[in-house]
């Protein structure tokens, strides 16, 4: 067959069979792009080009792909020549219609895993891009071993292969598919309440929601993170489709018999919760595959808040045929399949540490740990997989029972900043990437040298649901302490719930900080806790815990949330307050970090200080305060608040205030 007829013939066969395939082009950038453009001309289709720079339209960057989810394309090119955004790659594959090619452009196949990957700046806290050898090595092995993937390398012969035929695909006709019919029947008879439909990509969730709208007697409102992503739903709902954006819906008074929330897990949990409780019946649809950052965690965390929730799932693909080679290749490469929770691990538990090198020597161990950790946590994405595999400073423990993972724990090395940098972080001048808890201890805590201490942050811990409350979680944490000899503390930052805090308390952790606002994704306040491992760590934990107890009454007033510590009712300013106030008045420490000491300052100060009192004592919103005081905006308001604090300090003790001003302004000079 002539070389330009072969791709046409193979593509026509893929259309008949309802499948998609991966084609990898590896070599120099110019060669890869030329080959891709040539193929694009040969094969008709709408050919989305995803890369940092798309030479043709339609095109978008990997990061912008999120806005196109819910749309469908016929063929796509994914440029991974300078960086590989795994989440975007997987998401793109889900948008491809039957009969499509996903063309992946990679650097020279042998060099790829050694080359710096621009995407690493998102998952590694290093200042420059680093290579991701473990991830790329595994990806290469899976692609290389996959007989369905085509691979063309520069300077190597290539001919289009033939493939033995599969049964012809019978695409859906527009009438509900059998799985859809069963669910529709139940939804139509559902008493008031919440239902959730979950499935992997392309299973007909959105179509099902549209079919429901077109069948019910009453009115329905559709909402979703992006209207552009509701095309399929709109098509199946017909002229009864009515879309209202989530915030507009919340702000308005609209009523309807059904609320349909498409891609529900992409909305912040508190918003979703408020929406779901406002309508008699709510249908949530969401993708349960790691790359949408949702996963089983959505069911575990969000849906658990509705005990009567009806949960349905769709299994058979509709956008393409079952057994599609592209779907399989991507699911294998990104460890997306998710049956970890189906079988309970049996038998005695043993715990062992493993390092990133296990991805080469004994990959099933880290893979099982990854599956457990990602399945148990809300919003885990392939970014986390890449971090786990290749970012520096990661440590792991696995609890095994028989052949299966019963628990896993992931730690990240933090701290050890230089004294000048730690002080600059404390003063609010600097905030380099990474070191979440270590920097937070300095930036929001009382000790300017806090970030010089070294810690290991527990980034993830999970125990298999069938083996919880047996002490495995505590044992994992105890083992982590043994493996962290030489560090000052173990730390954890988590979305506060009383149950989770109970766990950390039982592991011996001391609460040192509560965030000032609920996290959009979890609806929880972020809490930070420490487990000291050295004397310096113990001093830090005690000092920060005491500070939290002092600030607790003020924080609780501010949050309207009880802080789980015994409040210390101590009026007046101590040395730490003076330093923190100087950090606010003369440097850049944030207002919300300084609420405790500022409140104590205001309590003992006769000056009027309207910008501070208005915000902290009367809790007037920033916008109203700006209007009342004729201040141009939030930034200008903060300047005024800092000036007021400076005036109060200078009035209280001019010499001390002056001395502290000189001290904290010096801490700016770090580069
Ligand atoms: C940084 C982060 O990863 S934060 C997120 C933590 N991970 C998750 O939420 C994932 C889902 N949850 C889990 O995987 C598990 O429930 C874990 C890891 C939190 C706890 O693991 P387990 O092995 O069940 O904990 P373990 O049995 O060691 O519990 C020790 C003590 O903590 C407390 N505790 C543990 N779970 C709970 C709970 N759900 N409610 C109340 N107390 C609890 C109890 O006091 C328990 O002792 P007890 O059983 O004798 O009363
Ligand atoms: N019953 C049906 N008849 C005809 N086409 C259907 C039917 N159900 C779904 N489809 C088509 O299958 C494709 C996938 O459906 P849909 O978008 O609803 O799936 P999804 O699970 O929401 O996928 P994604 O998560 O990728 O958005 C769409 O092109 C849709 O038009």
């Amino acid at each position: 067959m002539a070389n330009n007829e072969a791709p046409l013939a193979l593509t026509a066969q893929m259309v008949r069979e309802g499948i998609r395939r991966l084609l990898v082009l590896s070599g120099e950038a110019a060669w890869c792009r030329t080959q891709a453009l040539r193929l694009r001309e040969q094969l008709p289709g709408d050919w989305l080009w995803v890369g940092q720079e798309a030479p043709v339209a339609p095109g978008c960057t990997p990061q912008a792909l999120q806005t196109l989810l819910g749309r469908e394309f016929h063929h796509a090119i994914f440029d991974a020549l300078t960086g590989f955004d795994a989440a975007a790659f997987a998401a793109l594959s889900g948008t491809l219609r039957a009969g499509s090619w996903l063309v992946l452009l990679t650097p020279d196949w042998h060099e790829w895993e050694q080359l710096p990957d621009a995407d690493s700046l998102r998952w590694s806290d290093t200042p420059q891009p680093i290579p991701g050898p473990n991830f790329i090595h595994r990806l290469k092995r899976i692609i290389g071993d996959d007989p369905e993937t085509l691979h063309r390398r520069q300077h190597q012969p290539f001919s289009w292969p033939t493939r033995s035929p599969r049964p012809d695909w019978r695409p859906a006709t527009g009438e509900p598919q059998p799985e859809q019919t069963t669910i529709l029947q139940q939804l139509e008879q559902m008493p008031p309440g919440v239902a959730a439909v979950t499935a992997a990509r392309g299973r007909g969730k959105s179509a099902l929601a549209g079919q429901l709208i077109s069948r019910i007697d009453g009115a329905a409102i559709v909402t979703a993170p992006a209207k552009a992503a509701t095309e399929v739903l709109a098509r199946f709902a017909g002229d009864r489709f009515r879309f209202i954006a989530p915030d507009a819906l919340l702000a308005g008074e609209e009523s309807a018999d059904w609320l349909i929330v498409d891609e529900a897990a992409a909305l912040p949990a508190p918003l979703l919760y408020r929406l779901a409780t406002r309508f008699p019946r709510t249908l949530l649809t969401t993708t349960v595959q790691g790359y949408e950052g949702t996963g089983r965690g959505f069911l575990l965390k969000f849906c658990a808040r509705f005990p009567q929730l009806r949960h349905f799932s769709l299994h058979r693909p509709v956008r393409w045929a079952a057994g599609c080679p592209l779907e399989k290749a991507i699911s294998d490469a990104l460890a997306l399949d998710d049956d970890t929770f189906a079988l309970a691990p049996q038998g005695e538990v043993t715990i062992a540490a493993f390092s990133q090198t296990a991805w080469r020597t004994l990959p099933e161990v880290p893979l099982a740990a990854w599956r457990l950790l990602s399945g148990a946590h809300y919003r885990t994405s392939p970014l986390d997989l890449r971090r786990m595999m290749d970012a520096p400073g990661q440590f792991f423990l696995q609890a095994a029972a028989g052949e299966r993972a019963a628990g896993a724990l992931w730690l990240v090395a933090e701290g050890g900043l230089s004294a000048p940098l730690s002080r600059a972080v404390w003063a609010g001048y600097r905030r380099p990437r990474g070191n979440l808890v270590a920097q937070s201890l300095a930036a929001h805590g009382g000790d300017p040298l806090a970030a010089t201490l070294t810690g290991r942050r527990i980034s993830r811990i999970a125990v298999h649901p069938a083996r919880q409350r047996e002490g495995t979680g505590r044992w994992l944490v105890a083992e982590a302490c043994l493996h962290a000899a030489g560090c000052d503390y173990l730390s954890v930052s988590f979305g506060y719930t009383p149950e989770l805090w109970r766990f950390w308390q039982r592991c011996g952790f001391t609460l040192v900080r509560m965030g000032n606002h609920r996290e959009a994704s979890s609806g929880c306040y972020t809490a930070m806790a420490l487990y000291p491992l050295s004397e310096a760590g113990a001093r830090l934990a005690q000092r920060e815990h005491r500070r939290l107890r002092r600030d607790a009454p003020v924080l609780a007033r501010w949050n309207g949330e009880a802080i789980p510590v015994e409040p210390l009712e101590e009026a007046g300013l101590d040395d730490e307050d003076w330093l923190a106030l100087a950090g606010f008045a003369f440097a850049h420490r944030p207002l919300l970090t300084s609420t405790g000491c500022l409140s104590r300052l205001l309590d003992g100060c006769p000056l009027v200080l309207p910008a501070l009192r208005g915000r902290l004592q009367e809790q007037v919103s920033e916008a109203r305060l700006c209007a009342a005081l004729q201040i141009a905006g939030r930034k200008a308001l903060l300047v005024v608040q800092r000036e007021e604090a400076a005036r109060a300090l200078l009035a209280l003790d001019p010499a001390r205030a002056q001395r502290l001003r000189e001290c904290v302004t010096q801490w700016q000079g770090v580069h």
Side-chain angles (χ1 to χ4, degrees), residues 29 33 52 79-84 105 107 112 115-120 129:
R33 290 189 182 124
Q52 289 310 333
D79 180 344
L81 287 159
T82 53
F84 186 78
L105 313 187
W112 193 10
L115 297 175
D117 184 327
D119 193 62
S120 64

Side-chain angles (χ1 to χ4, degrees), residues 22 58 83 85 95 121 140 167 224 243 245 282 328 499 528 562 583 594 619 659:
L22 181 62
D85 179 337
T95 68
L121 292 176
K140 277 171 55 175
F243 180 88
T282 304
K328 182 171 181 317
E499 297 77 26
M528 290 187 185
S594 317
Q619 299 206 3
R659 218 175 38 248

Side-chain angles (χ1 to χ4, degrees), residues 522-608:
S522 65
C524 298
Y525 289 97
T526 303
M528 290 187 185
L530 296 184
Y531 183 90
L533 296 169
S534 72
E535 271 180 35
R539 274 197 303 277
L540 181 69
Q542 265 164 22
R543 178 176 178 168
E544 290 308 317
H545 181 65
R546 185 173 181 281
R547 183 184 148 84
L548 184 65
R549 288 179 60 197
R550 271 194 99 198
D551 289 354
V554 179
L555 278 174
R557 260 201 315 279
W558 183 263
N559 283 347
E561 186 83 356
I563 314 283
V565 294
E566 203 182 313
L568 257 188
E569 297 285 356
E570 282 181 5
L573 301 177
D574 62 12
D575 288 351
E576 198 174 293
D577 282 339
W578 267 91
L579 185 63
L581 286 165
F584 176 73
F586 306 123
H588 287 178
R589 274 173 80 87
L591 180 83
L592 288 185
T593 292
S594 317
T595 43
C597 56
L598 280 170
S599 296
R600 289 187 283 277
L601 175 69
L602 293 177
D603 286 344
C605 175
L607 300 177
V608 184

Side-chain angles (χ1 to χ4, degrees), residues 582 585-586 646 650 656-666:
F586 306 123
L650 287 161
R656 190 173 188 181
Q658 200 50 45
R659 218 175 38 248
L660 285 169
R661 164 187 249 157
E662 278 160 27
C663 169
V664 299
T665 43
Q666 267 178 24

Side-chain angles (χ1 to χ4, degrees), residues 300-301 373 376-377 408 457-465 467-476 492-495 498-500 502-504 506-507:
L300 291 176
K301 279 243 166 85
L373 291 169
H377 284 80
R457 176 167 61 84
I458 299 180
S459 140
R460 299 277 162 97
I461 177 169
V463 170
H464 192 288
R467 301 299 302 258
Q468 288 177 1
R469 300 302 286 267
E470 294 178 14
T472 305
R474 256 172 91 174
W475 187 13
L476 278 165
V492 64
S493 165
F494 62 99
E499 297 77 26
L500 209 46
R502 177 101 199 96
F503 170 70
W504 291 114
R506 289 297 299 270
C507 292

Side-chain angles (χ1 to χ4, degrees), residues 72 172 174-175 180 201-207 211 235 319:
E72 297 178 335
E175 286 305 304
Q180 290 170 329
R201 297 292 306 273
R203 264 59 185 169
K205 294 180 295 291
S206 309
Q211 287 160 346
R235 186 152 27 96
R319 190 172 286 134

